[in-house]
Amino acid sequence: MATTSTGDIEKTKSVEVKKKLNVLIVDDDTVIRKLHENIIKSIGGISQTAKNGEEAVNIHRDGNASFDLILMDKEMPERDGLSAIKKLREMKVTSMIIGVTTLADNEEERKAFMEAGLNHCLAKPLSKAKILPLINNLMDA
Amino acid sequence: MDAHVAQLQMQYRNYILSLYQQGFLDDQFTELKSLQDDGSPDFVAEVLSLFFDDCVKLVGNMARALDQTGTVDFCQVGANVHQLKGSSSSVGAKRVKGLCINFKELCEAKNYEGCVRCLQQVDIEYKTLKAKLQDMFNLEKQIVQAGGIVPQVDIN
């Protein structure tokens, strides 16, 4: 802290470059991709989208992708969420992965989805209130 | 405050409340509205446009799948219903979502007549919702054109 000639304390502003949350949104539905994009934007994050699990895996193939968080739908054509998560974990992707599904209330389905390599599972529809606590924990870690 | 603007705002509030009370919309629509801001001023209109495009596509797919002269592929119908259920619940389209829940059960039971009836109801319901929301946007436009601000409506 610097003091002025009059003795007032001049508060120094600490300039902090806060890293923007970088999210990959994986869902075959355009409405849900748009909704999730805006939720992430509303909490100051940036996002990229993939229409299915295969696209999500391909984004990671060159090894340069670096997402803090992946929001993964379960039922998708070409490669479903379960298969995509298993593949991403085999590829040593360490991003937090949140499964987003309408089947979240079915305990058996949820368990299989979690065991594929998820960090958390949330039921659709997503909202800021649902996702913010998980993201705050991620950013604090 | 200009009396005309105040009247339009009151009309708008009452109209929105009626959409919730009559079961057209649920809390998820409130969530959509909360995501609209200066940075995304047309967010609600954009999402709804995508949703209604989805409805046209998925209802068409279901109609074609049910119109087979041979064996109906109820799994295919069910997959389209599942998708419509997901997108309708994401925009707060409560009645459409409710119909999709019934529709899914009818597909699982391979109830052909039930599926055909349910598809007709889905078709009517999404078109009704589309017309109602268009009226909502028209009211918003009238308020802005009259120099007012579109009010936030507390549905609780």
Side-chain angles (χ1 to χ4, degrees):
Chain A
M1 281 187 298
T3 53
T4 65
S5 58
T6 59
D8 292 331
I9 296 170
E10 181 185 30
K11 288 180 190 172
T12 49
K13 262 190 191 168
S14 64
V15 178
E16 216 181 327
V17 176
K18 289 200 172 162
K19 182 178 173 287
K20 275 202 177 207
L21 184 74
N22 188 10
V23 182
L24 176 63
I25 294 162
V26 189
D27 202 298
D28 57 332
D29 190 279
T30 48
V31 174
I32 291 166
R33 286 199 304 273
K34 178 87 176 170
L35 171 66
H36 293 176
E37 271 183 299
N38 243 67
I39 289 174
I40 298 303
K41 186 178 162 192
S42 75
I43 58 176
I46 54 174
S47 63
Q48 190 174 335
T49 60
K51 293 190 189 74
N52 54 56
E54 190 61 24
E55 268 192 32
V57 167
N58 286 339
I59 284 167
H60 286 83
R61 281 201 195 279
D62 65 1
N64 292 329
S66 172
F67 297 101
D68 301 299
L69 171 64
I70 300 173
L71 296 177
M72 182 74 75
D73 185 22
K74 187 170 181 292
E75 290 188 22
M76 292 177 286
E78 294 196 43
R79 190 193 282 266
D80 68 17
L82 211 124
S83 165
I85 293 160
K86 284 181 180 170
K87 184 67 185 173
L88 290 173
R89 293 306 191 205
E90 272 172 35
M91 292 164 72
K92 310 288 182 208
V93 170
T94 57
S95 313
M96 179 191 262
I97 306 181
I98 297 177
V100 185
T101 175
T102 55
L103 300 172
D105 290 338
N106 178 321
E107 272 311 307
E108 211 172 289
E109 299 271 5
R110 188 179 184 278
K111 194 171 171 234
F113 206 19
M114 288 294 298
E115 284 172 357
L118 286 183
N119 297 96
H120 300 281
C121 203
L122 290 174
K124 282 179 189 174
L126 268 198
S127 64
K128 267 198 291 191
K130 278 184 188 173
I131 200 169
L132 215 42
L134 297 176
I135 286 175
N136 285 339
N137 286 342
L138 173 66
M139 295 307 273
D140 288 343
Chain B
M1 189 193 295
D2 184 88
H4 177 55
V5 168
Q7 189 189 16
L8 284 171
Q9 287 172 331
M10 179 63 77
Q11 195 180 339
Y12 178 80
R13 274 195 197 92
N14 290 339
Y15 188 68
I16 297 291
L17 285 171
S18 74
L19 291 180
Y20 282 89
Q21 284 158 1
Q22 289 168 36
F24 286 103
L25 300 174
D26 63 25
D27 286 347
Q28 184 61 18
F29 189 77
T30 314
E31 174 73 14
L32 277 197
K33 284 282 220 172
S34 77
L35 291 170
Q36 181 159 293
D37 56 21
D38 293 340
S40 310
D42 300 314
F43 172 67
V44 175
E46 286 168 3
V47 171
L48 288 173
S49 176
L50 289 171
F51 169 64
F52 289 120
D53 286 348
D54 245 12
C55 289
V56 171
K57 181 188 86 177
L58 295 171
V59 166
N61 289 348
M62 291 182 235
R64 275 187 295 278
L66 285 168
D67 197 28
Q68 299 299 311
T69 47
T71 311
V72 170
D73 186 348
F74 286 99
C75 283
Q76 194 189 354
V77 181
N80 283 282
V81 173
H82 176 81
Q83 211 170 337
L84 184 58
K85 184 183 157 216
S87 57
S88 61
S89 82
S90 294
V91 301
K94 189 176 178 183
R95 286 193 189 183
V96 177
K97 182 182 88 173
L99 283 171
C100 288
I101 292 170
N102 293 343
F103 204 159
K104 198 110 201 280
E105 289 171 6
L106 291 165
C107 288
E108 283 160 10
K110 293 185 166 63
N111 181 334
Y112 177 77
E113 283 82 17
C115 284
V116 168
R117 271 197 305 274
C118 205
L119 179 61
Q120 286 167 352
Q121 288 176 294
V122 166
D123 191 56
I124 291 167
E125 206 56 59
Y126 93 75
K127 285 172 179 169
T128 304
L129 179 63
K130 187 175 180 182
K132 299 251 177 218
L133 292 175
Q134 191 53 57
D135 288 344
M136 180 195 78
F137 287 123
N138 288 342
L139 270 171
E140 288 182 359
K141 198 172 160 187
Q142 283 177 56
I143 292 169
V144 170
Q145 283 174 346
I149 294 168
V150 177
Q152 299 277 7
V153 179
D154 182 4
I155 55 140
N156 295 312

